[in-house]
Amino acid sequence: MRTSIATVCISGSLEEKMRAAAEVGFDGVEIFEQDLMTSPLSPEQVVDLARELGITLDLYQPFRDLEGVSEEVFAENLYRLEEKFRLMQRLDMDLILICSNVGTATDWNDDVAIDQLGRAADLGAKYGIRLAYEALAWGRYVNTYEHAWSLVEQADRPNLGVCLDSFHILSRRSDPSAFSTIPAEKIFFLQLADAPEMMMDLLSWSRHYRNFPGEGSFDLVNFMVELTRAGYTGPVSLEIFNDVFRQTDVVRTTRDALRSLVWLADATCAALPAAGIDPQSEANTMALEALEPVAAPTGWDYAEIKAEETEEIATLLTQLGFTDRGMHRTKDVRLFASGDARIVLNELPLGVSGSVIAGLGFQLPDPKTSADRARHLQIPPAHRANRADEMVLRGVLAPDGTEVFFAPEQNGSAPGWLTEFGDPEQPVGEHELVTGLDHVNLAQPWQHFDEAILFYTAALGLGTQPPAEVPSPQGLVRSQVMRTEDGTIRLPLNMVPQVLDVAPTHNQGTERVPTGSHDQMRRSAYPQHLAFATDDIVSLARNAAAAGLRFLPVPDNYYEDLQARFRLDEKFMDTLREHHLLYDRDDEGEFLHFYTRTIGTVFFEVVERRTGYNGYGAPNAPVRMAAQYAIERY
Ligand SMILES: O=C(O)c1ccc(O)c(O)c1
Ligand SMILES: [Mg+2]
């Protein structure tokens, strides 16, 4: 696969963008006109830089409002175009993107546009330049790829073809299956973008909300399958207009960009056989490469909490019925367990206060392959110190700095590393009503939210649920659940504007030094939580209360509303009130849950799913956030 990225996608100067593209491993770039116009580099210096970096200059863009105009206007357009051809010669480039007319064409006639596109191509031919015509989704007359192709076909010039841009095609719900009606050699260029589902005008959607493949909701795998069927052989290029990506670190975002293409190529390879295409054959015309196949996680291995004061967390876990399984035999960490929930408590280094969900272990059928795959996706590794006789886990840093470890699956039995803690023969505690981890909720820095979606999709094979918005006293929180199909792993991500930037950093030494990112995460004071599963929440709450647990209080107004919505009987309502339980119901079943107070930035939830309830009590999330806010303030 030959990869390319439009300079408009990322932040910085033209030179910084080109250097980032090369550093990360892109083969080429699209030069966005504005980036060149604002650059101090001469066109010749840009060519020299590209040579030095070993990248190609694949497409010059965009040229606007060329076709379908009066002869008078067209003469002006040709003058403007010829100037660009001269510039492209200096840039040693041979492909220009022509966007369909959005403004200056007023009295449309296909024949006029065909004639003018043909004459523009003839002028290009004198300079050895090819023209790729792209239908903008909001083009005044030409806004579908079928229409663009029809004009190009009728103009019938060897140096005139089309550019297919997934945003324009999929935002209008056009059907990519007609790509194969276009001769392969006439598809001059491909631009890829994903985007979240949105109800807004096409232009605003396109200019601000595009994101990298795997981060939105377009079916880009099918798009790529259809392009392969059509025989496209050119570069796979990203053209993402995104307000966030244009202000984040250029190398980091460019790495995320390439990761999205590596993921998409792999996902497409997996889908090609069903379309009758052998990925190993010449029919894989873009030479898309498959990654190591990995299966989704089959369970939680552990969650690690780092805290300044582990004692407070330890008390909370004990009140929830966890058993203290003792210290690790060589490391200064302590294990608490109940059922399949295993919580490792670790101290934050001196001078750092608060607490944080620092690490998550995922059980996988083939952890080594998952780790190899993560490396190919350029996901930064997490390092931890190990003694020779200890279980070695490989891990990576999630975009928010959380350490994600790949652990072997256990099929329900206890992981081997448990024997590294305390007394392995220690009996199960009598109050262990928590059966396992139900879900983990991580607060995500707003500027890395999309990156996190792709990370959990590409590295762990999790899928996305439709996003939700939760009103909190401190702002609207965007929430997106990532999960395995069977619901074994559920990972709601909450985008919180208050969280500071937390770039993953590589730990250089052998000691597992907490990264600065955790410190920053803590300072953001945005809570995250572990939710524990139980089959008997009422008994668990009763035990916890007897052990002195301080529950998150629930306002009376909530219970009155609950009664109005669900007509629950008085006795049941009393039980809910008595134990500070929240309640929800869907077509599948019922959901009862409660929350603990927050320590540092970590709190716990206990949930009971009755008969297949599948959600997370979303209607109750605002109640929880308001209660936490009230406690924090007073
Ligand atoms: O938003 C635009 O104007 C624009 C320009 C060039 C493109 O290739 C494109 O897809 C959109
Ligand atoms: Mg485009």
Side-chain angles (χ1 to χ4, degrees):
M1 171 174 63
R2 255 177 64 214
T3 56
S4 191
I5 182 166
T7 53
V8 72
C9 303
I10 43 184
S11 68
S13 65
L14 179 61
E15 178 169 350
E16 287 167 334
K17 293 173 188 217
M18 289 171 66
R19 287 193 183 280
E23 176 180 336
V24 162
F26 275 94
D27 299 309
V29 294
E30 299 178 23
I31 298 286
F32 206 75
E33 185 159 77
Q34 197 121 49
D35 285 314
L36 180 74
M37 235 163 48
T38 56
S39 173
L41 299 180
S42 71
E44 290 76 14
Q45 286 173 317
V46 172
V47 175
D48 287 345
L49 179 62
R51 289 223 175 96
E52 173 201 320
L53 295 172
I55 55 173
T56 52
L57 304 178
D58 297 326
L59 178 81
Y60 187 87
Q61 74 137 330
F63 191 89
R64 300 186 189 276
D65 293 337
L66 169 75
E67 82 294 13
V69 296
S70 69
E71 268 308 304
E72 203 180 350
V73 173
F74 188 64
E76 285 301 314
N77 290 351
L78 274 190
Y79 173 80
R80 189 161 55 94
L81 187 61
E82 190 160 16
E83 289 300 309
K84 297 301 166 191
F85 289 158
R86 292 205 177 95
L87 170 63
M88 286 174 65
Q89 276 198 320
R90 295 175 62 196
L91 284 165
D92 197 19
M93 293 177 72
D94 73 347
L95 186 62
I96 187 169
L97 180 107
I98 311 285
C99 295
S100 64
N101 198 315
V102 300
T104 57
T106 48
D107 186 16
W108 187 265
N109 177 332
D110 268 11
D111 292 333
V112 171
I114 292 163
D115 173 63
Q116 292 176 345
L117 283 169
R119 285 153 64 198
D122 292 341
L123 183 62
K126 290 193 198 157
Y127 293 86
I129 284 172
R130 300 180 305 139
L131 290 69
Y133 186 49
E134 173 187 67
L136 296 182
W138 55 93
R140 188 144 177 188
Y141 299 98
V142 176
N143 42 44
T144 64
Y145 79 89
E146 292 97 331
H147 195 179
W149 162 237
S150 145
L151 302 187
V152 165
E153 184 179 28
Q154 293 176 73
D156 193 21
R157 304 296 205 282
N159 65 330
L160 180 65
V162 292
C163 168
L164 298 178
D165 178 322
S166 66
F167 182 87
H168 300 299
I169 294 166
L170 299 178
S171 65
R172 296 188 64 101
R173 325 269 172 231
S174 291
D175 182 0
S177 67
F179 289 168
S180 44
T181 62
I182 309 174
E185 68 279 7
K186 282 297 191 182
I187 306 175
F188 280 6
F189 207 72
L190 157 68
Q191 292 177 321
L192 284 180
D194 205 337
E197 215 47 71
M198 289 189 142
M199 296 287 277
M200 62 163 61
D201 70 284
L202 295 166
L203 184 141
S204 307
W205 190 16
S206 174
R207 292 262 174 92
H208 302 282
Y209 299 101
R210 292 186 183 206
N211 51 17
F212 297 131
E215 298 178 349
S217 61
F218 288 164
D219 188 351
L220 291 174
V221 170
N222 176 56
F223 191 93
M224 293 294 279
V225 167
E226 292 303 331
L227 262 169
T228 305
R229 211 201 288 277
Y232 175 71
T233 57
V236 180
S237 188
L238 290 167
E239 188 200 27
I240 317 294
F241 303 86
N242 181 295
D243 294 355
V244 174
F245 299 165
R246 289 168 91 139
Q247 51 180 309
T248 45
D249 177 82
V250 63
V251 173
R252 176 174 177 159
T253 303
T254 308
R255 188 164 279 129
D256 191 38
L258 190 64
R259 182 177 304 143
S260 76
L261 287 184
V262 173
W263 167 79
L264 180 63
D266 173 65
T268 307
C269 280
L272 284 175
I277 300 166
D278 176 2
Q280 304 296 337
S281 72
E282 295 282 299
N284 178 356
T285 52
M286 286 173 272
L288 305 175
E289 286 168 36
L291 291 171
E292 302 77 359
V294 290
T298 52
W300 294 104
D301 206 48
Y302 68 91
E304 178 183 5
I305 295 172
K306 278 188 186 167
E308 173 195 26
E309 257 309 328
T310 52
E311 226 27 69
E312 276 186 284
I313 305 262
T315 302
L316 213 49
L317 289 170
T318 308
Q319 289 165 337
L320 291 173
F322 277 71
T323 307
D324 182 350
R325 305 290 290 261
M327 299 297 293
H328 189 269
R329 64 178 179 228
T330 62
K331 295 179 208 159
D332 205 11
V333 299
R334 191 161 153 201
L335 174 69
F336 282 78
S338 177
D340 281 329
R342 290 168 285 271
I343 311 301
V344 174
L345 277 190
N346 200 342
E347 302 227 340
L348 280 168
L350 229 59
V352 180
S353 55
S355 65
V356 66
I357 298 174
L360 296 172
F362 291 87
Q363 293 183 351
L364 294 151
D366 184 356
K368 183 184 174 306
T369 307
S370 290
D372 288 345
R373 179 183 168 100
R375 187 163 40 83
H376 288 152
L377 288 161
Q378 294 201 33
I379 294 167
H383 298 290
R384 60 162 61 206
N386 273 103
R387 280 179 11 154
D389 57 342
E390 286 165 9
M391 175 94 77
V392 178
L393 297 183
R394 283 170 70 188
V396 293
L397 291 175
D400 67 356
T402 303
E403 294 180 331
V404 165
F405 279 91
F406 304 114
E409 74 177 348
Q410 304 297 335
N411 301 310
S413 55
W417 57 263
L418 286 192
T419 59
E420 295 169 15
F421 284 86
D423 172 11
E425 302 302 320
Q426 186 183 0
V428 167
E430 56 178 314
H431 289 309
E432 285 195 14
L433 288 176
V434 165
T435 55
L437 256 181
D438 181 87
H439 62 273
V440 175
N441 182 300
L442 296 178
Q444 297 295 303
W446 62 272
Q447 65 276 51
H448 303 310
F449 195 80
D450 285 336
E451 187 183 343
I453 301 284
L454 178 64
F455 167 78
Y456 287 108
T457 304
L460 285 171
L462 303 187
T464 48
Q465 302 280 100
E469 282 167 355
V470 182
S472 94
Q474 289 155 295
L476 203 57
V477 176
R478 184 174 141 204
S479 178
Q480 174 119 43
V481 175
M482 310 281 315
R483 51 170 278 183
T484 52
E485 214 158 294
D486 64 3
T488 308
I489 299 291
R490 300 166 184 263
L491 190 70
L493 303 177
N494 281 4
M495 175 161 81
V496 290
Q498 299 93 329
V499 177
L500 303 172
D501 195 356
V502 284
T505 45
H506 298 260
N507 292 337
Q508 299 300 337
T510 49
E511 187 52 32
R512 192 159 158 254
V513 185
T515 57
S517 60
H518 291 145
D519 185 27
Q520 289 177 335
M521 189 63 113
R522 177 200 59 71
R523 274 191 279 119
S524 73
Y526 205 91
Q528 323 191 54
H529 73 276
L530 304 178
F532 302 123
T534 182
D535 299 325
D536 185 359
I537 196 165
V538 174
S539 299
L540 198 157
R542 191 171 291 125
N543 293 347
L549 182 95
R550 291 163 70 227
F551 292 78
L552 187 72
V554 180
D556 272 343
N557 293 346
Y558 168 77
Y559 289 111
E560 283 179 23
D561 176 67
L562 200 62
Q563 166 63 25
R565 283 191 290 140
F566 293 120
R567 291 192 182 210
L568 301 168
D569 76 53
E570 269 315 308
K571 206 159 150 259
F572 187 61
M573 285 301 307
D574 287 344
T575 306
L576 295 182
R577 276 205 183 86
E578 181 188 344
H579 299 293
H580 313 277
L581 297 176
L582 298 140
Y583 176 87
D584 191 30
R585 190 158 78 197
D586 66 10
D587 294 345
E588 309 295 326
E590 295 177 299
F591 189 61
L592 283 75
H593 56 147
F594 72 80
Y595 296 98
T596 70
R597 300 291 179 94
T598 306
I599 294 171
T601 56
V602 175
F603 66 97
F604 300 116
E605 178 184 7
V606 176
V607 314
E608 181 180 341
R609 296 176 184 275
R610 292 187 175 167
T611 70
Y613 174 91
N614 218 354
Y616 304 83
N620 303 332
V623 178
R624 188 258 292 170
M625 290 182 189
Q628 289 173 329
Y629 176 71
I631 286 173
E632 242 172 61
R633 290 197 45 153
Y634 302 109

